[in-house]
Amino acid sequence: MYESIYPFILSLILSVFLLLITIIPVALARYSKGFKYSYLKLPRKLYKKYPSWGKRAYWAHINSLESFAIHSPALIMASVLLSNGLPVKDIAMRSALIYPLFRCFYVGMFIFNKPILRSFFWGAGLGSSLLIYYGCINL
C-alpha cells in the first residue's frame, strides 16, 4: 500500500500544465496566417480556416479537457483517502505518475496524425485514470 500524497499532487499539477500547453498549437493554427482584430469577435468561426494539423490540435485540446474531467477526481479521491490515513494501492501511484506522459504522447500523435499510436496512448491514459480509481478501492 502507498501512503504519500505527493505523486497524486504532482500528477494533478502536470495534468493541468499539459492541459494549458495544448492551447499553444491551437493558437498557432488560429493565428498562423496573421492576426486581425476581427478574429477576436468570433474566434470559433476561425476553426474552418485552420490547417488540418490545427484541427487535430483543437480536437486534442478538447479531448484533454474531457480526459482531465475523468483523471482529476481520481487524483483528488486518492489524495483525500491518503490525507485521512487510509491506504491506496501502489498501482494508483504508478498510474498517476505515468498518466501525464501518456497524455503528452497522445497529443503529439494526434497533431502529427498517427491514428494507431494516438489510440494506444488514449487508451493507456484512460486506463491509468481507471487504475487510480481501482487503487482507491480497498476491499
Side-chain angles (χ1 to χ4, degrees), residues 18-125:
L18 183 60
L19 181 61
L20 294 173
I21 291 295
T22 61
I23 296 170
I24 294 171
V26 176
L28 290 173
R30 181 177 288 175
Y31 303 116
S32 63
K33 295 182 181 177
F35 175 79
K36 296 179 186 172
Y37 176 73
S38 62
Y39 291 168
L40 296 176
K41 293 180 183 177
L42 298 169
R44 299 203 192 280
K45 283 196 170 191
L46 289 175
Y47 175 78
K48 294 176 185 175
K49 297 180 181 181
Y50 290 2
S52 59
W53 68 266
K55 290 178 181 176
R56 290 190 303 272
Y58 176 75
W59 297 328
H61 174 65
I62 295 300
N63 185 268
S64 295
L65 291 167
E66 295 164 349
S67 179
F68 185 75
I70 295 170
H71 185 66
S72 59
L75 296 173
I76 293 168
M77 183 169 58
S79 299
V80 167
L81 289 173
L82 288 168
S83 63
N84 286 315
L86 298 170
V88 173
K89 295 177 181 151
D90 290 338
I91 191 75
M93 182 270 304
R94 291 185 193 107
S95 297
L97 291 175
I98 197 102
Y99 170 86
L101 184 64
F102 285 146
R103 290 301 301 178
C104 186
F105 283 123
Y106 167 80
V107 170
M109 295 302 109
F110 208 142
I111 292 172
F112 293 112
N113 200 20
K114 304 293 183 193
I116 299 296
L117 290 172
R118 179 191 79 212
S119 297
F120 170 77
F121 287 116
W122 176 85

